[in-house]
Amino acid sequence: MALYAKINRTTGAVIEYRELTDPVRAMHKEHVMLPMTRNAKPPFNADIEKLTATVTQPDLSNLAVDVSPTAERVEGWQVDTLPLATCKANKRAKVDALLAVKIAAGRVYSGNTYQIRAQDLTNITGIRVALLSGILSPHSGIWRSAANVDVAMNDVEFALFAANVMAYVRDLIRKSSAHKDGIDASANAAAVSAYDITAGWPANT
């Protein structure tokens, strides 16, 4: 048995698919059974390429003309390279996603991991400014880690912690921007695809 498609000859649309063995074709009928091939999806790079379904079959709309015994329907795929601007935008989005992962992972400092989301940086900065201005002195307290462990820190220790966290986040953002500049400088889609966005990020230790 083989796969056949029942085709409306006027519209060219598929009515149904069937597994059949050498079906008899009635001449000049509105519908016809065509043997068909369904090709597998080819590999493609979604960053720089677009996959489009394709159909190849003869024009069957003239019912006065018999359908050729060799006529068939082929359902396949076409891979097209995306516009360069789209390729770059897709790759830059991956940089943003990677930066978000690194931010979500927090900052490892003196054996503990601390959250470094936007609200965490606001809190750290606020306390640091309060210490420097004398509004809050001494700190001589705790800072909670990402594991919900209270870590004791005095003023000096907190200042060093805050500086480390801020420098790390700054370096993450700088590397993100550098990668986007590298992507924008790529001359073609192949260069965009080959650009390694995982290289050169600051170590989190």
Side-chain angles (χ1 to χ4, degrees):
M1 298 182 75
L3 182 62
Y4 282 77
K6 185 177 182 180
I7 307 294
N8 181 311
R9 292 188 59 180
T10 302
T11 65
V14 175
I15 298 172
E16 62 177 337
Y17 297 100
R18 290 185 187 174
E19 294 280 347
L20 299 171
T21 301
D22 296 329
V24 176
R25 285 183 182 168
M27 294 185 290
H28 312 308
K29 296 295 184 180
E30 183 179 358
H31 303 140
V32 65
M33 301 299 295
L34 287 187
M36 65 164 292
T37 299
R38 183 174 285 155
N39 294 329
K41 283 186 179 182
F44 77 107
N45 184 341
D47 288 342
I48 64 169
E49 294 174 327
K50 177 178 68 174
L51 188 64
T52 305
T54 61
V55 173
T56 303
Q57 71 180 30
D59 181 1
L60 308 170
S61 59
N62 189 346
L63 299 184
V65 176
D66 290 341
V67 177
S68 168
T70 61
E72 66 173 345
R73 176 184 175 91
V74 179
E75 296 180 355
W77 302 92
Q78 179 174 315
V79 179
D80 296 301
T81 300
L82 294 169
L84 183 56
T86 303
C87 297
K88 291 179 177 180
N90 290 343
K91 196 80 169 195
R92 287 195 301 269
K94 286 199 165 186
V95 174
D96 287 335
L98 184 53
L99 174 62
V101 168
K102 292 182 179 296
I103 292 293
R107 174 59 169 162
V108 177
Y109 179 78
S110 293
N112 293 293
T113 300
Y114 297 90
Q115 292 179 322
I116 54 173
R117 302 162 300 176
Q119 61 267 39
D120 303 310
L121 299 180
T122 298
N123 291 338
I124 292 170
T125 302
I127 291 178
R128 179 62 178 139
V129 170
L131 287 171
L132 290 173
S133 64
I135 297 174
L136 178 64
S137 182
H139 174 62
S140 298
I142 60 171
W143 196 260
R144 179 154 289 199
S145 73
N148 288 323
V149 175
D150 290 337
V151 181
M153 295 185 191
N154 60 33
D155 288 4
V156 173
E157 290 167 337
F158 186 84
L160 293 173
F161 160 71
N164 182 279
V165 166
M166 295 300 177
Y168 177 67
V169 173
R170 175 203 63 200
D171 291 345
L172 286 178
I173 294 172
R174 284 179 176 175
K175 179 49 65 175
S176 170
S177 298
H179 278 315
K180 290 180 180 179
D181 289 344
I183 291 167
D184 287 340
S186 299
N188 50 54
V192 172
S193 179
Y195 187 90
D196 183 9
I197 66 171
T198 66
W201 293 89
N204 190 11
T205 56

